[in-house]
Amino acid sequence: MAMPAVAQAEDAAIVVSASTPLSAAADNGRVLVDAKALRAMQAVTVGDALARQAPGVVINEVQGNPLQADLSFRGYTASPLLGTPQGIAVYVDGVRANQPFGEVVSWDLLPQAAVDQVALIEGAAPQFGRNALGGALSIRTKDGRSAPGVAASLTGGSYGRLRGSIEAGGSMGGSRAGNGFHWYGALEGFQEDGWRYASASKAWKGFAKAGWEGAGSGVSLSFNRAQSDLNGNGLQDYRLLERDWRSTYTTPDNTRNIASQITLSGHHRLSENLTLSANAFWRSIVTRSVNGDMNEGALGESLYQPNATERTALSAAGYTGFPTSGETQANTAFPKWRCIANVLLNDEPNEKCNGLLTRSSTRQQEWGGAVELGWTGMGQHLIVGASYAQARARFIQSSQFGYLLPDHSVVAVPGPGAFADGTQDSENAFDARVDLHSAMSSLGLYAADVFALGSRVTMTLAGRYDRTQLHNRDQITPGGGTGSLDADPVFARFNPSAMVDWHAAHGLTITAQAGESSRAPSAVELGCSDPASPCRLPNAMAGDPPLRQVVARSFSLGVRIERKAWNLRLTAFRSDNRDDIQFIAGGASGFGYFANVGTTRRQGIEASGAAHWGGWQVGASYTLLDATYRTPLTLNGDANSRNDGAAPGFDGEIAVRPGDRLPLLPRHLFKAQAGFEAASWLTLRAEMVAASGVYARGNENNLHQADGAYYLGAGRTDAYAVVNASVEVRPRKGMIITAGVSNLMNAHYATAAQLGASGFDTNGAFVARPFSGPVIDGERPLLHSTFLAPAAPRRFEVGLRVQL
């Protein structure tokens, strides 16, 4: 019985051979989960499985959708959300899965049913190119040799969740390692109503692979098609969560993805010691989103009784039923008439409309390939390689003014002033339109060499030169300068690394590693880097002051002890990011900008172990992560109680000191797993994940405190522990019945947080002016709160898998 836990992962120690983008797909790196583990855990995504089992991995459910979670490893993130600084490179069959426009990783587009193995290359891994600051994930898909036969599965559970897949594979001669043709195909679907209001989602994916394997050569062609329709309702004011855990701040929040990818891979043995490997790929990704948000520009303004001019405009447009007098904040929970009138007049909808409906469209095409030459001989393994990719992207955005309904959905209003295009007759008018054409090209030249230094010591040297060029052209404000997104930056750097493995005794290995890696600013970050024009992500851009690329310098020291029935692993690590790029929260929830924030550090220790005896397999891991700023900073802190504003509730800045902790990263993370094979046909499993609380975005100084009036909430999340349990029954060969429960104790906990202005009272009614005064420079104080990303409550799931 193989348990999908640390016990399984730790049995596969780090393989001392050259790990590169193409070779990493062939069993290099530390194996974290495989196909059997994914099935047993009933994991929704690869990220979900890693968060439940892999040491040092945690997820932030900022988007509030199981297919859109942020995955972090030792403080570095792979996320589907535009604007999240990406610090992990993800590869699928040797092709980089980070998308070219924002370097994001869309877990909903990866072929989950076709995943054969997920391996982790830890620490700075320069040979894996951009974004491999904290390491790289290498995902290998199945083929007809590794997954022969036909299999079908169907799973159903709480909140209308239904999942299913069908797979078929085979090969000439039926041998996993034999020569000849092989083929594999998988089709899978997912849908659920969602546990929060207005959170239904669905996705389907198809994957096909065919290939030929000879004595010294092989070739395969794969095709992946994925489509998803996701609703993720994101952060919510903690007061409204206390009232209703399923509640949402505003709706809609919908993202639709359509992706296609073709990959051609091959290898050929040129001689006994020399092998050539190569791949080529093409992919297309279309993303459309619709987001209904509160227009924080209306907070503090007068949104209620229409004046004479506005009533005349409403009548002329055929509206009836609007008040002629007496509408006030006290008697109107959700105002709309002044909004409609100001849209008709194109006057001040940016101040009179409390809703904003933002639509965006991103189209990306990318193509490229890689080639590697591997040589083995004279006690060493040398690989040299090159990769090249080109991409084209177009990002279009518009924001339409509207008003909020009692269910917190946004109704867009048509009229001359409907869109935030800067034409309004208002001192605070803003232009949220974006039409950006972006072209990107990247060239990488890399090498990795493993050689022996005596009978007990091996050394791995690696390095990579990357050159990334972006060509951004603003279709609305061309020509460069203030307000224009035109830019032609070029980022180039060589990054080296070295690792020494000392096999000190039988089963005892000591590893030391040092290296550098880097990432160039993405087109998204370059387009949202002006503190004077904060953006609402993932939907907005503004001016683009230049950003510098991030360079990470990493060191680690590890010890592994492996015995027949148990193993232990202890690692100390440190990584310093120079010119780190962070998303800095603005005064309104969801707004902010990107900036180089100097140096940040992620350091700590990680311990893990596993054991098995009889029918038992157990494992546990603990990670201590000290993630801090190392450079003094002055940041926008409008929602932070310690800002330097004129009075409580007003805009201001905060001072961040060296040693202040980075937001959204837990200091302590503990995981434990146990599996018991009670009979040849019955397996019981349980797991626990526990994490300390994290600081909210906007609380980068770690000093925010609630005052009960202008600032509410702790500015951080609470610690949590969540328990999952499952049972697997095998009544006959080829048939598996599973039943599981996630969050067994029904814990209410949050995985992320952000400070922001809140426009609702504790009953969910809209309040434009929570305070009558003081009035300073025409502005009034606002109410600020802590917004949380709530985790899913208890969920049951039952499944059946049949394999022939």
Side-chain angles (χ1 to χ4, degrees), residues 575-620:
S575 183
D576 288 341
N577 282 15
R578 190 175 71 239
D579 292 327
D580 204 358
I581 299 174
Q582 297 279 314
F583 181 71
I584 307 303
S589 176
F591 278 87
Y593 58 93
F594 292 99
N596 290 112
V597 296
T599 300
T600 61
R601 174 173 294 167
R602 295 153 180 85
Q603 64 181 359
I605 58 173
E606 185 175 279
S608 60
H612 60 87
W613 70 94
W616 285 93
Q617 293 196 45
V618 297

Side-chain angles (χ1 to χ4, degrees), residues 108 136 201 208 218 223 314 385-386 441 447 481 492 494 523 639 647 665 667 684 689 706 710 714 721 735 742 751:
D108 59 303
S201 295
F223 174 73
L314 290 169
S441 64
F494 175 78
L665 298 177
R667 183 175 176 82
L684 307 175
V689 178
Y710 299 95
M735 177 180 292
S742 301
T751 59

Side-chain angles (χ1 to χ4, degrees), residues 381-398:
H381 181 206
L382 172 66
I383 292 180
V384 295
S387 67
Y388 182 76
Q390 281 193 335
R392 300 288 184 271
R394 185 178 186 184
F395 179 86
I396 300 175
Q397 175 202 274
S398 66

